[in-house]
Amino acid sequence: MTRFFLRRSAGFVATLFGVSFVVFWVMNVVPGDPALVILGIDSTPEAQEALRRLLGLDQPFALRYLAWLAGMLVGDFGTSYAFRVPVADLIVERLPLTLSLAMTGMTVTIVLALGLGVLAAANHNRPVDWSVMLVSQVGIAVPAFWLSILLVIIFAVHLRWLPPGGFPGWSDPLGAARALVLPTIALAAVQSAVLARVVRASLLEVARLDFVRTARASGLARSRILWLHMLPNALVPIVTIVGMQFANVLTGTIVIENVFSLPGLGRLVFQAISNRDLPLVQALVVLFATIVVVMNFLVDIAYGVIDPKLRPAA
């Protein structure tokens, strides 16, 4: 297990370095001049050249990448071109909201998907099973941004149960919780529909195995067989999809936060791209990629914990 962990850790570090290089390279080859964006089209060529020297844009690519990488390793992501403040300060300010939204969305996804998937598998080829599959198919087909607008129209405009958007801040816990209800539902609806189908399929596959027939012949309760014997043995594909879905939920916050006007990292990404704020875009993309790689790393470790057969031989 130690060797397994060390190999996964080495791959994790190598992936992060690869991601950082690709992000920096792409951000520096896309068309556009940051100096022109900052100073405006009416600025003189002399002023633009002076700003490029000040920002270090006149340096060779390799030197700029190494300087950026060295700063990133100590938490210095540079200064935002548009906001004129350290990028790290912007990330620290907005990260809690995005992580809270992603974690609540993922929690709702897992709880809802497990419940629906187990319910469908326990009632295979019955009306309950067909109903769950129909609902999940509709959930997969509905775009998140369209569902977000529909939720706002129903629960904010007509019923007036929840706010249509905005965020009051963490100083108002109740208001913050109410502001995150609709975005969480919009994030979790599609992902839970996908995961519910995976849970159902995985459980039905396990149900054909010999140990399940033996447990039934021994007279164990149906719920005990389902939750204590079948579900643990069906976890590997489920955990795989959960790891992938966390990445989808995280990137989905970019759309959801803009629809609901939430001041998180997703909205910050959109603003940074619009302003061609290279240091901010680079830092945010690397941060999102790091979170996704960390989740995949944890999924790999979970494989070895769930199923000892997946661990490498000593």
Side-chain angles (χ1 to χ4, degrees), residues 8-181:
R8 289 297 186 269
S9 299
F12 168 74
V13 174
T15 302
L16 287 183
F17 275 107
V19 167
S20 69
F21 178 81
V22 171
V23 169
F24 190 84
W25 177 75
V26 169
M27 289 296 103
N28 283 269
V29 298
V30 293
D33 186 356
L36 184 61
V37 174
I38 295 172
L39 297 176
I41 58 176
D42 297 330
S43 59
T44 62
E46 293 78 11
Q48 295 175 18
E49 186 61 31
L51 182 58
R52 292 191 194 97
R53 288 195 299 270
L54 179 64
L55 298 176
L57 299 177
D58 60 331
Q59 299 293 323
F61 173 84
L63 291 179
R64 285 187 287 122
Y65 171 69
L66 291 176
W68 175 71
L69 185 61
M72 187 175 61
L73 292 175
V74 296
D76 181 10
F77 298 96
T79 302
S80 168
Y81 295 164
F83 295 92
R84 308 296 175 87
V85 297
V87 171
D89 293 348
L90 290 171
I91 292 177
V92 170
E93 178 185 356
R94 304 203 184 194
L95 181 61
L97 175 57
T98 298
L99 282 183
S100 298
L101 180 58
M103 294 304 296
T104 53
M106 202 66 235
T107 301
V108 172
T109 295
I110 294 173
V111 172
L112 189 60
L114 283 179
L116 292 177
V118 170
L119 182 64
N123 297 274
H124 182 49
N125 283 335
R126 297 176 183 174
V128 174
D129 183 22
W130 303 333
S131 301
V132 170
M133 289 300 97
L134 177 61
V135 171
S136 65
Q137 188 62 47
V138 173
I140 294 173
V142 173
F145 73 89
W146 183 86
L147 179 60
S148 301
I149 296 173
L150 183 64
L151 291 174
V152 169
I153 294 175
I154 295 175
F155 294 101
V157 177
H158 290 295
L159 299 178
R160 298 186 179 182
W161 290 352
L162 297 166
F167 189 71
W170 298 109
S171 57
D172 180 9
L174 180 59
R178 294 181 73 247
L180 292 179
V181 171

Side-chain angles (χ1 to χ4, degrees), residues 43-313:
S43 59
T44 62
E46 293 78 11
Q48 295 175 18
E49 186 61 31
L51 182 58
R52 292 191 194 97
R53 288 195 299 270
L54 179 64
L55 298 176
L57 299 177
D58 60 331
Q59 299 293 323
F61 173 84
L63 291 179
R64 285 187 287 122
Y65 171 69
L66 291 176
W68 175 71
L69 185 61
M72 187 175 61
L73 292 175
V74 296
D76 181 10
F77 298 96
T79 302
S80 168
Y81 295 164
F83 295 92
R84 308 296 175 87
V85 297
V87 171
D89 293 348
L90 290 171
I91 292 177
V92 170
E93 178 185 356
R94 304 203 184 194
L95 181 61
L97 175 57
T98 298
L99 282 183
S100 298
L101 180 58
M103 294 304 296
T104 53
M106 202 66 235
T107 301
V108 172
T109 295
I110 294 173
V111 172
L112 189 60
L114 283 179
L116 292 177
V118 170
L119 182 64
N123 297 274
H124 182 49
N125 283 335
R126 297 176 183 174
V128 174
D129 183 22
W130 303 333
S131 301
V132 170
M133 289 300 97
L134 177 61
V135 171
S136 65
Q137 188 62 47
V138 173
I140 294 173
V142 173
F145 73 89
W146 183 86
L147 179 60
S148 301
I149 296 173
L150 183 64
L151 291 174
V152 169
I153 294 175
I154 295 175
F155 294 101
V157 177
H158 290 295
L159 299 178
R160 298 186 179 182
W161 290 352
L162 297 166
F167 189 71
W170 298 109
S171 57
D172 180 9
L174 180 59
R178 294 181 73 247
L180 292 179
V181 171
L182 293 183
T184 298
I185 295 174
L187 271 178
V190 175
Q191 304 303 326
S192 60
V194 174
L195 186 58
R197 299 176 76 90
V198 173
V199 172
R200 172 185 177 273
S202 185
L203 286 173
L204 291 179
E205 183 176 355
V206 172
R208 302 185 181 97
L209 300 180
D210 292 339
F211 77 91
V212 176
R213 288 195 292 268
T214 302
R216 289 171 178 164
S218 300
L220 293 179
R222 187 179 181 186
S223 59
R224 182 182 178 85
I225 296 174
L226 189 62
W227 290 100
L228 298 183
H229 296 275
M230 292 173 58
L231 187 59
N233 287 277
L235 281 180
V236 171
I238 296 173
V239 169
T240 302
I241 298 299
V242 167
M244 296 171 60
Q245 285 189 315
F246 187 82
N248 294 333
V249 168
L250 192 63
T251 54
T253 59
I254 298 176
V255 175
I256 298 300
E257 287 180 4
N258 279 281
V259 172
F260 289 97
S261 299
L262 298 175
L265 292 182
R267 188 171 177 82
L268 189 62
V269 167
F270 183 80
Q271 294 170 337
I273 294 174
S274 301
N275 296 324
R276 206 177 188 281
D277 194 340
L278 290 184
L280 186 54
V281 174
Q282 290 170 174
L284 289 173
V285 173
V286 169
L287 177 62
F288 277 112
T290 300
I291 296 175
V292 172
V293 172
V294 168
M295 285 302 303
N296 289 332
F297 175 73
L298 294 177
V299 168
D300 284 344
I301 300 302
Y303 287 161
V305 175
I306 294 172
D307 191 350
K309 293 184 294 184
L310 298 178
R311 303 174 190 171

